[in-house]
Amino acid sequence: MRKRRARASARARHAAERATDHLDGRLPLYEGGGLLRKAFPDHWSFLLGEVALYSFVVLLLTGVWLTLFFHPAMTEVVYHGSYTPLDGIRMSEAYRSTLHISFDVRGGLLIRQLHHWAALVFLAAVGAHLLRVFFTGAFRRPREINWAIGVTLFLLALAEGFAGYSLPDDLLSGTGLRIAEGIMLSIPVVGTYVGFFVFGGQFPGHELIPRLYSLHILLIPGLLLALVTAHLILVFHLKHTQWAGRGRTNDNVVGKPLFPQFMASSLGLFCMVFGTLTVLAGLAQINPVWVYGPYRPDAVSTGSQPDWYVGFLEGSLRLVPPWETTLAGHTVMWNVFLPAVVLPLALFAVLYSYPFFEAWITGDQQEHHLADRPRDRPVRTGLGVAAICCYGVLLAAGGNDVLADTFKVSVNALTWVFRISLVLLPPLAFMLTKRICLALQEAELQRLAEGEETGVVRQTVTGGYAEGHTPVDEETRHVLRARQVPRPLASPEGRDGEVPQLQRLRATLSSWYYGDGVGGQGLQDGEPESDSERELER
C-alpha cells in the first residue's frame, strides 16, 4: 500500500509539473509566482482601501442584476402595480419599473437597497482612504500619480452616485435634477447651451434619463474599473507604505505575504463587508421612492435632502447670499455659480496639486515609503482638519430647514450661525490641531529623555519626592526616533530687487510649514533636536 501511494503521489506530482509547464508556455505563470509572496503591511488603516474595493464589487454585482429589470424610458404610463396608493397615477416608465423592482420582483427591494447602501459605503470608504493617504503623507514621491488616480476615482464615484440617484425619476431625484439644471444655467454666457445640450431640450425633457443610464451602467463603471486596475498595479509596483517600527525601512516591506495569509484575511474582510451591507439592506430602509411619488415639475418634496456625498454642495448653495451682477445684458448669479461651480473646481484643483505643492515647498525629491504620523506634520494635519471642519459645516447647512424644524429655531438665524461658523471654525480648528500636534511632540520628547512613568513615588535623602521612570522600550523608541521633518528652506540672499518674488514666497511658505517644530525647527533624518535628546543619544 505504501508503494502504491508513493507511485500515485509521484504520478500526481509529474502531472502537476507537466500542466504547470504547459500553462507557463502560454502564460507568465512562473514569473507571477513571486507576486504571490509580495508582503503587505498589517494595520487597520490600510483596510479602508479594501473596504472601498469590496463595496465596488458589491455595486457591480447588484448593478448587473438591476439592469435586467430597470427600463430607462421617460414614456408616460399609468401605474397598475402592487403598490395601491399609486394605482392609476401617471408616471414615467423609469419610475414604474423602479416600483416593479421594489414590490413585484422577488428580492428586488433587497437588491435595490443593497445597491444603494453599497454606493454610500463605497464613497465613504474612498473618502476615508484619501484622508488616510493625506494625513500619513502617502501621496509623496513616488506615489503622486497614484494620488491623482485616487482623486479621479473619488470624482467619478461622485458622478456615478448622482447619476444612479437620479435614475428612478421620483420627486426627490427630480428635485435634484432641477437644482442641477439651475447650476448649469448659472454658468455665464454658455449656461443655457450647456443645459439645453445635457437635457436634450427644455427641462425635464425625455433624453436625460436614458443618457444618465448609459453613463451609469457603461461609461463611468468602465472608467472606474480601469482606474482601480491601474491603482492596484501601481500599489504592487511601488510597494505599500508602512508605519515606522523595528526592522521597517524605506527599502523593505514587513507584513503578510499575499498568498495565503493576506488573501485569507482579505477574503474574510470581503465577507464581512458583503454581510454588513446585506444586513443594512434588509433592516435599514433607504430611498423609499414610493413615498415621494413620481416627479412633477411643479412640485418639490418637503425636506428634500441629497445623499451625504453631495450634501456639502447643497449647504454651500443655501449659505451664499443672493448676489447677482448684470453685465452687457447678461445676469450672473453668483449665489449659484460660486458655490456650485467654482467651489467644486477649486476643491479638486487643490486635491490634484497638493502633492506637487508640498514637494515644491520642501524641495524634497527623495522617495518615501514610511508613513508619517499626523502629529509629526502639524501644518498638514491642521489643514486637513480645517477642511473636514469646513465640509461638516456645509453638510449641516444643507439640512438647515430640517434642523430648524426639529429644534424649533429660526431658519434665518440658523443660516447665519452656519455662515459665521464657516468663516471662524476652520481657522480655529487649524490652530487647535497644530497646537495639539506640537504638544504631542513635546510629550514624546520628554518620554525619550526621562522614560516612562512607573507611578511609584519615592522619598529622597533630602526629604523631597521623586517619581520613578523606566526607559522607553525599543519598539516605542524606534517609532519616536523615526520622525523625519524637513527643515525650512533658507531665505534667499541678496537685495530685494535681486531676489525673485517666487523664491521669497517659497521660503516664507516653507518656514510656515516647518518652522514651528518642537525645539524651534523640524528634524532632518532623525537627528536629535534638543540638548536633552542629544544627551540621551550619547
Side-chain angles (χ1 to χ4, degrees), residues 11-68:
R11 286 195 298 268
R13 184 167 55 253
H14 182 64
E17 290 175 353
R18 290 184 59 188
T20 303
D21 292 338
H22 181 78
L23 290 175
D24 185 65
R26 294 157 178 82
L27 298 171
L29 192 63
Y30 289 150
E31 289 82 353
L35 294 177
L36 297 179
R37 303 302 298 172
K38 187 175 181 63
F40 281 84
D42 186 17
H43 191 270
W44 68 266
S45 63
F46 300 142
L47 300 180
L48 296 172
E50 293 183 53
V51 172
L53 176 62
Y54 297 143
S55 301
F56 183 58
V57 172
V58 176
L59 276 172
L60 291 177
L61 295 176
T62 55
V64 169
W65 189 90
L66 289 173
T67 57
L68 303 176

Coordinates of all heavy atoms in Angstrom, one line a residue, residues 11-68:
R11 N 3.0 10.1 -9.7 CA 2.3 10.4 -10.9 C 1.5 11.8 -10.8 O 1.5 12.5 -11.8 CB 1.3 9.3 -11.2 CG 1.9 8.0 -11.7 CD 0.9 7.1 -12.3 NE -0.1 6.7 -11.3 CZ 0.0 5.5 -10.5 NH1 1.1 4.7 -10.7 NH2 -0.9 5.2 -9.7
A12 N 0.9 12.0 -9.7 CA 0.2 13.3 -9.5 C 1.2 14.5 -9.6 O 0.9 15.5 -10.2 CB -0.5 13.3 -8.1
R13 N 2.4 14.3 -8.9 CA 3.4 15.4 -9.0 C 3.9 15.6 -10.4 O 4.0 16.8 -10.8 CB 4.5 15.0 -8.1 CG 5.6 16.1 -8.0 CD 6.6 15.9 -6.8 NE 7.2 14.6 -6.9 CZ 6.9 13.6 -6.1 NH1 6.0 13.7 -5.1 NH2 7.5 12.4 -6.2
H14 N 4.1 14.5 -11.1 CA 4.6 14.6 -12.5 C 3.5 15.3 -13.4 O 3.8 16.2 -14.2 CB 4.9 13.2 -13.1 CG 5.4 13.3 -14.5 ND1 6.6 13.9 -14.8 CD2 4.9 12.8 -15.6 CE1 6.8 13.7 -16.1 NE2 5.8 13.1 -16.6
A15 N 2.2 14.9 -13.2 CA 1.1 15.5 -13.9 C 1.0 17.0 -13.6 O 0.8 17.8 -14.5 CB -0.2 14.8 -13.6
A16 N 1.2 17.4 -12.3 CA 1.1 18.8 -12.0 C 2.2 19.6 -12.6 O 2.0 20.7 -13.1 CB 1.1 18.9 -10.5
E17 N 3.4 19.0 -12.6 CA 4.6 19.7 -13.2 C 4.4 19.9 -14.7 O 4.7 21.0 -15.3 CB 5.8 18.9 -13.0 CG 6.3 18.9 -11.5 CD 7.5 18.0 -11.3 OE1 7.9 17.3 -12.3 OE2 8.0 18.0 -10.2
R18 N 3.8 18.9 -15.4 CA 3.6 19.0 -16.8 C 2.5 20.0 -17.1 O 2.6 20.8 -18.1 CB 3.1 17.6 -17.4 CG 4.2 16.6 -17.5 CD 3.7 15.3 -18.1 NE 3.3 15.5 -19.5 CZ 2.6 14.6 -20.2 NH1 2.4 13.4 -19.7 NH2 2.2 14.9 -21.4
A19 N 1.4 20.0 -16.3 CA 0.4 21.0 -16.5 C 0.9 22.4 -16.3 O 0.6 23.4 -17.0 CB -0.8 20.7 -15.6
T20 N 1.8 22.6 -15.3 CA 2.3 23.9 -15.0 C 3.2 24.4 -16.1 O 3.2 25.5 -16.5 CB 3.1 23.9 -13.6 OG1 2.2 23.4 -12.6 CG2 3.6 25.2 -13.3
D21 N 4.1 23.5 -16.6 CA 4.9 23.8 -17.7 C 4.1 24.2 -18.9 O 4.5 25.1 -19.7 CB 5.9 22.7 -18.0 CG 6.9 22.4 -16.9 OD1 7.2 23.4 -16.2 OD2 7.4 21.3 -16.8
H22 N 3.0 23.4 -19.1 CA 2.1 23.7 -20.3 C 1.5 25.1 -20.2 O 1.5 25.8 -21.2 CB 1.0 22.6 -20.3 CG 0.1 22.8 -21.5 ND1 0.4 22.4 -22.7 CD2 -1.2 23.3 -21.5 CE1 -0.6 22.6 -23.5 NE2 -1.6 23.2 -22.8
L23 N 1.1 25.4 -19.0 CA 0.5 26.8 -18.8 C 1.5 27.9 -18.9 O 1.3 29.0 -19.4 CB -0.3 26.9 -17.5 CG -1.6 26.1 -17.4 CD1 -2.1 26.1 -16.0 CD2 -2.6 26.6 -18.4
D24 N 2.7 27.6 -18.4 CA 3.8 28.6 -18.4 C 4.3 28.9 -19.8 O 4.7 30.0 -20.1 CB 5.0 28.1 -17.5 CG 6.1 29.2 -17.4 OD1 5.8 30.2 -16.8 OD2 7.2 29.0 -17.9
G25 N 4.1 28.0 -20.7 CA 4.4 28.2 -22.1 C 3.5 29.2 -22.7 O 3.8 29.8 -23.8
R26 N 2.3 29.4 -22.1 CA 1.3 30.3 -22.7 C 1.0 31.5 -21.8 O 0.4 32.5 -22.3 CB 0.0 29.5 -23.0 CG 0.3 28.5 -24.1 CD -0.7 27.3 -24.0 NE -0.5 26.4 -25.1 CZ 0.4 25.4 -25.0 NH1 1.2 25.3 -24.0 NH2 0.5 24.6 -26.1
L27 N 1.3 31.4 -20.5 CA 1.0 32.5 -19.6 C 2.2 32.7 -18.7 O 3.0 31.8 -18.5 CB -0.2 32.1 -18.7 CG -1.5 31.9 -19.3 CD1 -2.5 31.3 -18.4 CD2 -2.0 33.2 -19.9
P28 N 2.4 33.9 -18.2 CA 3.6 34.2 -17.3 C 3.4 33.6 -15.9 O 3.3 34.3 -14.9 CB 3.7 35.7 -17.3 CG 2.3 36.1 -17.5 CD 1.6 35.1 -18.4
L29 N 3.3 32.3 -15.8 CA 2.9 31.6 -14.6 C 4.1 31.7 -13.6 O 3.9 32.1 -12.4 CB 2.5 30.2 -14.8 CG 1.9 29.5 -13.7 CD1 0.5 30.1 -13.3 CD2 1.6 28.0 -14.0
Y30 N 5.3 31.3 -14.0 CA 6.4 31.2 -13.1 C 6.9 32.7 -12.7 O 7.2 32.9 -11.6 CB 7.6 30.5 -13.7 CG 7.4 29.0 -13.9 CD1 8.0 28.3 -14.9 CD2 6.6 28.3 -13.0 CE1 7.8 26.9 -15.0 CE2 6.4 27.0 -13.1 CZ 7.0 26.3 -14.1 OH 6.8 24.9 -14.2
E31 N 6.8 33.6 -13.7 CA 7.2 35.0 -13.4 C 6.2 35.6 -12.3 O 6.6 36.4 -11.5 CB 7.2 35.8 -14.6 CG 8.3 35.5 -15.6 CD 8.0 34.3 -16.4 OE1 7.0 33.7 -16.2 OE2 8.8 34.0 -17.4
G32 N 4.9 35.2 -12.4 CA 3.9 35.8 -11.5 C 4.0 35.1 -10.1 O 3.3 35.6 -9.2
G33 N 4.7 34.0 -10.0 CA 4.8 33.4 -8.7 C 5.4 34.2 -7.6 O 5.0 34.1 -6.4
G34 N 6.3 35.1 -8.0 CA 6.9 36.0 -7.0 C 5.9 36.9 -6.4 O 6.1 37.4 -5.3
L35 N 4.9 37.3 -7.2 CA 3.9 38.3 -6.7 C 3.1 37.6 -5.6 O 2.6 38.4 -4.7 CB 3.0 38.7 -7.8 CG 3.6 39.5 -9.0 CD1 2.6 39.8 -10.1 CD2 4.2 40.8 -8.4
L36 N 3.0 36.3 -5.6 CA 2.2 35.7 -4.5 C 2.9 35.8 -3.2 O 2.2 35.6 -2.1 CB 1.9 34.2 -4.9 CG 1.1 33.9 -6.1 CD1 1.0 32.4 -6.4 CD2 -0.3 34.6 -6.1
R37 N 4.1 36.1 -3.2 CA 4.9 36.2 -1.9 C 5.1 37.7 -1.5 O 5.8 38.0 -0.6 CB 6.2 35.5 -1.9 CG 6.1 34.0 -2.3 CD 5.2 33.3 -1.3 NE 5.8 33.4 0.1 CZ 5.1 32.9 1.1 NH1 3.9 32.4 1.0 NH2 5.7 33.0 2.3
K38 N 4.5 38.6 -2.3 CA 4.7 40.0 -2.0 C 4.1 40.4 -0.7 O 2.9 39.9 -0.3 CB 4.0 40.9 -3.1 CG 4.3 42.4 -3.0 CD 3.7 43.1 -4.2 CE 4.0 44.6 -4.1 NZ 5.4 44.9 -4.1
A39 N 4.8 41.1 0.1 CA 4.4 41.4 1.5 C 3.5 42.6 1.5 O 3.7 43.6 0.8 CB 5.6 41.7 2.4
F40 N 2.4 42.6 2.4 CA 1.5 43.7 2.6 C 1.5 44.0 4.1 O 1.3 43.1 4.9 CB 0.1 43.3 2.1 CG -0.1 43.5 0.7 CD1 0.3 42.4 -0.2 CD2 -0.6 44.6 0.1 CE1 0.2 42.5 -1.5 CE2 -0.7 44.7 -1.3 CZ -0.4 43.7 -2.1
P41 N 1.7 45.2 4.5 CA 1.7 45.6 6.0 C 0.3 45.3 6.6 O -0.7 45.3 5.9 CB 2.0 47.1 6.0 CG 2.6 47.4 4.7 CD 2.0 46.4 3.7
D42 N 0.4 45.0 7.9 CA -0.9 44.6 8.6 C -1.2 45.7 9.6 O -0.6 45.8 10.7 CB -0.6 43.3 9.3 CG -1.9 42.7 10.0 OD1 -3.0 43.2 9.6 OD2 -1.8 41.9 10.9
H43 N -2.1 46.6 9.2 CA -2.6 47.7 10.0 C -4.0 48.0 9.6 O -4.4 48.0 8.4 CB -1.7 48.9 9.9 CG -1.9 49.9 10.9 ND1 -2.8 51.0 10.8 CD2 -1.4 50.1 12.2 CE1 -2.8 51.7 11.9 NE2 -2.0 51.2 12.7
W44 N -4.9 48.3 10.6 CA -6.3 48.6 10.3 C -6.5 49.7 9.3 O -7.4 49.7 8.5 CB -7.0 48.8 11.6 CG -6.7 50.2 12.2 CD1 -5.8 50.4 13.2 CD2 -7.2 51.4 11.9 NE1 -5.7 51.7 13.6 CE2 -6.6 52.4 12.8 CE3 -8.2 51.9 11.0 CZ2 -6.9 53.7 12.8 CZ3 -8.5 53.2 11.0 CH2 -7.9 54.1 11.9
S45 N -5.6 50.7 9.3 CA -5.9 51.9 8.5 C -5.7 51.5 7.0 O -6.2 52.2 6.1 CB -4.9 53.0 8.8 OG -3.5 52.6 8.7
F46 N -4.9 50.5 6.7 CA -4.8 50.0 5.3 C -6.0 49.3 4.8 O -6.0 49.0 3.6 CB -3.5 49.2 5.2 CG -2.2 49.9 5.6 CD1 -1.2 49.2 6.3 CD2 -2.1 51.2 5.3 CE1 -0.1 49.9 6.7 CE2 -0.9 51.9 5.7 CZ 0.1 51.2 6.4
L47 N -6.9 49.0 5.7 CA -8.1 48.2 5.2 C -9.1 49.1 4.6 O -10.1 48.6 4.0 CB -8.7 47.5 6.4 CG -7.9 46.5 7.1 CD1 -8.6 45.8 8.3 CD2 -7.4 45.4 6.1
L48 N -9.0 50.5 4.7 CA -10.0 51.4 4.1 C -10.1 51.2 2.6 O -11.2 51.2 2.1 CB -9.7 52.8 4.5 CG -9.7 53.1 6.0 CD1 -9.2 54.5 6.3 CD2 -11.1 53.0 6.5
G49 N -8.9 51.1 2.0 CA -9.0 50.9 0.5 C -9.6 49.6 0.1 O -10.3 49.5 -0.9
E50 N -9.4 48.5 1.0 CA -10.0 47.2 0.7 C -11.5 47.3 0.8 O -12.3 46.7 0.1 CB -9.5 46.2 1.6 CG -8.0 45.8 1.3 CD -7.5 44.7 2.2 OE1 -8.2 43.6 2.2 OE2 -6.5 44.9 2.9
V51 N -12.0 48.0 1.8 CA -13.5 48.2 2.0 C -14.1 48.9 0.8 O -15.1 48.5 0.3 CB -13.7 49.0 3.3 CG1 -15.2 49.4 3.4 CG2 -13.3 48.2 4.5
A52 N -13.4 49.9 0.3 CA -13.8 50.6 -0.9 C -13.9 49.6 -2.1 O -14.9 49.6 -2.9 CB -13.0 51.8 -1.2
L53 N -12.8 48.8 -2.2 CA -12.8 47.8 -3.4 C -13.9 46.8 -3.3 O -14.6 46.6 -4.3 CB -11.4 47.1 -3.4 CG -11.3 46.0 -4.4 CD1 -11.3 46.6 -5.8 CD2 -9.9 45.3 -4.2
Y54 N -14.2 46.3 -2.1 CA -15.2 45.3 -2.0 C -16.6 45.9 -2.1 O -17.5 45.2 -2.5 CB -15.0 44.5 -0.7 CG -13.7 43.8 -0.6 CD1 -12.9 43.7 0.5 CD2 -13.2 43.2 -1.8 CE1 -11.7 43.0 0.6 CE2 -12.0 42.5 -1.8 CZ -11.2 42.4 -0.6 OH -10.0 41.8 -0.6
S55 N -16.8 47.1 -1.6 CA -18.1 47.8 -1.8 C -18.3 48.0 -3.3 O -19.4 47.8 -3.8 CB -18.1 49.1 -1.1 OG -17.9 49.0 0.3
F56 N -17.3 48.3 -4.1 CA -17.4 48.4 -5.5 C -17.7 47.1 -6.2 O -18.6 47.0 -7.1 CB -16.1 48.9 -6.1 CG -16.1 49.2 -7.6 CD1 -17.0 50.1 -8.1 CD2 -15.2 48.6 -8.4 CE1 -17.0 50.3 -9.5 CE2 -15.2 48.8 -9.8 CZ -16.1 49.7 -10.3
V57 N -17.2 46.0 -5.7 CA -17.6 44.7 -6.2 C -19.1 44.4 -6.0 O -19.8 43.9 -6.9 CB -16.7 43.6 -5.6 CG1 -17.2 42.2 -5.9 CG2 -15.3 43.7 -6.0
V58 N -19.5 44.7 -4.8 CA -21.0 44.5 -4.5 C -21.8 45.4 -5.4 O -22.9 45.0 -5.9 CB -21.3 44.9 -3.0 CG1 -22.8 44.8 -2.7 CG2 -20.5 43.9 -2.1
L59 N -21.3 46.6 -5.7 CA -22.1 47.5 -6.6 C -22.2 46.9 -8.0 O -23.2 47.0 -8.6 CB -21.3 48.9 -6.7 CG -21.6 49.9 -5.6 CD1 -20.7 51.1 -5.7 CD2 -23.1 50.4 -5.7
L60 N -21.1 46.3 -8.5 CA -21.1 45.7 -9.8 C -22.1 44.6 -9.8 O -22.9 44.4 -10.8 CB -19.7 45.3 -10.2 CG -18.7 46.4 -10.4 CD1 -17.3 45.8 -10.7 CD2 -19.1 47.3 -11.6
L61 N -22.0 43.7 -8.8 CA -22.9 42.5 -8.8 C -24.4 42.9 -8.8 O -25.2 42.4 -9.5 CB -22.5 41.6 -7.6 CG -21.1 41.0 -7.7 CD1 -20.9 40.2 -6.4 CD2 -21.0 40.1 -8.9
T62 N -24.7 43.8 -7.8 CA -26.1 44.2 -7.7 C -26.5 45.1 -8.9 O -27.7 45.0 -9.3 CB -26.3 45.0 -6.4 OG1 -25.4 46.1 -6.4 CG2 -26.1 44.1 -5.2
G63 N -25.6 45.9 -9.4 CA -26.0 46.7 -10.6 C -26.3 45.9 -11.8 O -27.3 46.2 -12.6
V64 N -25.5 44.8 -12.1 CA -25.8 43.9 -13.2 C -27.2 43.3 -13.0 O -28.0 43.2 -14.0 CB -24.8 42.9 -13.3 CG1 -25.2 41.8 -14.3 CG2 -23.4 43.5 -13.7
W65 N -27.6 42.9 -11.8 CA -28.9 42.3 -11.6 C -30.0 43.3 -11.8 O -31.0 43.0 -12.5 CB -29.0 41.8 -10.2 CG -30.2 41.0 -9.9 CD1 -30.4 39.6 -10.0 CD2 -31.4 41.5 -9.4 NE1 -31.6 39.3 -9.6 CE2 -32.3 40.4 -9.2 CE3 -31.9 42.7 -9.0 CZ2 -33.6 40.5 -8.8 CZ3 -33.2 42.9 -8.6 CH2 -34.0 41.8 -8.4
L66 N -29.8 44.6 -11.4 CA -30.9 45.6 -11.5 C -31.1 46.0 -13.0 O -32.2 46.4 -13.4 CB -30.5 46.8 -10.7 CG -30.6 46.7 -9.2 CD1 -30.0 47.9 -8.5 CD2 -32.0 46.5 -8.7
T67 N -30.0 45.9 -13.8 CA -30.2 46.3 -15.2 C -31.2 45.3 -15.9 O -31.7 45.7 -17.0 CB -28.9 46.3 -16.0 OG1 -28.3 45.0 -15.8 CG2 -27.9 47.3 -15.4
L68 N -31.4 44.1 -15.4 CA -32.3 43.2 -16.0 C -33.8 43.6 -15.9 O -34.6 43.1 -16.7 CB -32.1 41.8 -15.4 CG -30.7 41.2 -15.5 CD1 -30.6 39.9 -14.8 CD2 -30.2 41.1 -16.9

